[in-house]
Amino acid sequence: MEEEIIAFYFILKKRENEARNVRRRILASLRDTEDPFLLQEEIFSRFLRFPKSLCWDLIQELKPHDNYTRKSRIPLELRFISVLYFLSNGSYQSCIGNSHFAAMSQPSVSRNIKQICRMVVEHKHVEISFPNSADHYNSIKRGFHNKFAIKGVIGAIDCTHVAIISPPSSTAGVVPHEYMNRKGYCSINVEAICDEELIFRNVKWLLGDSGYPLEPWLLTPIPSPSSANEELFNTVHIKARNTIERAFGVLKSRFRCLSKERVLKYTHTNAAFIIYTCAIFHNILQKRRIFLSEETMLPEDSPPDGVGMNTPIQSTEHYSEGRRARQSCLNALIT
């Protein structure tokens, strides 16, 4: 009886391997006959967020850095497309692999996401950078001034939550409950700075809400304004700082894998690479002024202006200097 069970087990394993090999051949055949770059431009951009020409150029830039060495090699073009499809739609890996223009197994999609995201972060991280010249600084400051009439500002700062699964307690150096946010779900709290064109910069003056401390380089709203001029400053501040809320909204609209409803089912480390890759791709599109009609310019999951503001922090060593800087900005606003 025991020998029969063992024999039956090996028969099942053999059939399972045969079925897996048949599926591999079918997927390989589909990959050989389907070319996503033959899709209509509108359909390509709707599903993958990038126009075909820009997507192709990006793949060619990354190709010299591709170290994918598996025996059943899938071309970089298709691996990159599968990752873009995941980032843009936030689907399950098996659904990505079953799409007609990125046919591959779920494990292949998983490997692609990890490898491509790390390659993008390593070789395209310069897309997220603070101004590196006086001309660039002045250009951003002029942009904020022209749009919001506020002088000396080069960025707005805030945080957004990206939902993830709870890290396992067995992970070294990780305390799972530390990833539980005040809204009751696990997330990575992403802090970012953007300019007036919604381009993310590296972490002069920054605009933050009242949850940040007032510093000479970080201007916050005036708590309990007591004059018309102070009310005016807060109104202008809210409009200018809203650029970071809008940037987060556009980022999550472009790359739905970051949406709260999707939840990144990856380790916190891999989730961080996915988030950073999305920010890099967002900047590439913003710098080329490539927008999608379906993108909403409103932030996701954020309160209306002035609602839910935190108690101002006044205990930092630079608070007095910050007040003088804010007053200087207010004076410039009304002169």
Side-chain angles (χ1 to χ4, degrees):
M1 183 65 178
E2 183 177 347
E3 292 179 355
E4 292 178 354
I5 293 175
I6 294 174
F8 183 68
Y9 169 79
F10 280 108
I11 290 173
L12 287 179
K13 292 296 292 184
K14 181 180 179 181
R15 290 180 179 176
E16 183 180 317
N17 290 333
E18 289 174 349
R20 189 180 295 114
N21 290 333
V22 169
R23 175 171 169 77
R24 285 194 182 120
R25 288 194 293 271
I26 292 173
L27 292 175
S29 176
L30 287 173
R31 290 196 297 269
D32 291 340
T33 57
E34 295 286 348
D35 183 356
F37 286 94
L38 295 179
L39 292 171
Q40 294 181 4
E41 185 69 54
E42 180 185 355
I43 296 175
F44 188 97
S45 297
R46 186 193 315 150
F47 280 106
L48 303 172
R49 304 298 188 255
F50 278 73
K52 288 194 284 188
S53 59
L54 181 56
C55 181
W56 180 263
D57 290 344
L58 190 53
I59 291 171
Q60 302 315 306
E61 285 183 46
L62 294 173
K63 189 166 284 189
H65 309 292
D66 182 25
N67 58 4
Y68 189 82
T69 57
R70 289 186 65 83
K71 186 182 297 184
S72 56
R73 182 177 176 85
I74 301 174
L76 175 61
E77 290 80 2
L78 289 183
R79 286 184 281 125
F80 188 86
I81 290 294
S82 71
V83 175
L84 262 190
Y85 190 38
F86 163 75
L87 298 178
S88 301
N89 299 279
S91 301
Y92 286 105
Q93 295 173 357
S94 57
C95 297
I96 302 294
N98 286 333
S99 62
H100 68 282
F101 54 79
M104 60 191 73
S105 66
Q106 177 273 323
S108 293
V109 176
S110 179
R111 286 191 294 269
N112 294 344
I113 293 171
K114 183 177 181 179
Q115 188 249 343
I116 296 292
C117 286
R118 289 173 182 265
M119 183 165 59
V120 169
V121 170
E122 181 178 356
H123 298 287
K124 298 295 292 181
H125 63 274
V126 293
E127 295 290 344
I128 302 177
S129 61
F130 225 55
N132 54 10
S133 68
D135 288 343
H136 198 182
Y137 267 105
N138 292 332
S139 174
I140 293 176
K141 286 192 284 188
R142 282 195 301 271
F144 268 103
H145 182 255
N146 292 339
K147 286 187 176 182
F148 308 109
I150 188 167
K151 292 184 178 180
V153 171
I154 61 167
I157 185 171
D158 206 352
C159 298
T160 189
H161 289 281
V162 176
I164 63 170
I165 57 173
S166 176
S169 56
S170 58
T171 306
V174 173
V175 181
H177 72 260
E178 291 183 349
Y179 286 83
M180 181 66 68
N181 63 38
R182 61 184 175 82
K183 299 179 182 179
Y185 62 91
C186 289
S187 67
I188 292 179
N189 194 9
V190 181
E191 184 175 64
I193 299 168
C194 79
D195 62 20
E196 86 288 359
E197 295 293 339
L198 311 188
I199 295 172
F200 291 111
R201 300 297 177 182
N202 201 10
V203 174
K204 256 112 174 167
W205 285 353
L206 301 169
L207 294 178
D209 64 20
S210 55
Y212 287 91
L214 176 62
E215 308 278 12
W217 56 86
L218 201 165
L219 304 185
T220 60
I222 298 173
S224 305
S226 58
S227 68
N229 289 340
E230 291 183 350
E231 291 279 5
L232 174 62
F233 174 84
N234 278 4
T235 298
V236 172
H237 183 284
I238 288 171
K239 290 180 179 179
R241 199 198 63 81
N242 187 248
T243 54
I244 186 63
E245 300 284 359
R246 293 169 59 218
F248 284 142
V250 173
L251 174 70
K252 291 184 177 183
S253 294
R254 273 191 174 124
F255 302 109
R256 300 297 173 85
C257 69
L258 304 182
S259 172
K260 174 187 171 185
E261 289 71 26
R262 296 300 197 270
V263 183
L264 290 175
K265 301 181 184 298
Y266 300 85
T267 65
H268 62 290
T269 302
N270 287 337
F273 275 100
I274 290 171
I275 295 166
Y276 205 82
T277 298
C278 290
I280 289 172
F281 286 164
H282 166 91
N283 275 10
I284 290 174
L285 294 168
Q286 286 295 118
K287 290 175 183 178
R288 291 160 180 78
R289 304 192 66 78
I290 298 172
F291 310 116
L292 298 178
S293 58
E294 68 186 66
E295 286 177 5
T296 174
M297 301 302 288
L298 296 176
E300 290 191 356
D301 200 24
S302 62
D305 291 339
V307 176
M309 298 179 70
N310 300 290
T311 302
I313 301 173
Q314 302 183 8
S315 59
T316 67
E317 59 178 312
H318 299 292
Y319 179 75
S320 296
E321 295 176 59
R323 288 195 64 177
R324 287 194 291 271
R326 185 168 63 190
Q327 186 62 43
S328 174
C329 188
L330 188 155
N331 293 339
L333 186 65
I334 61 179
T335 55

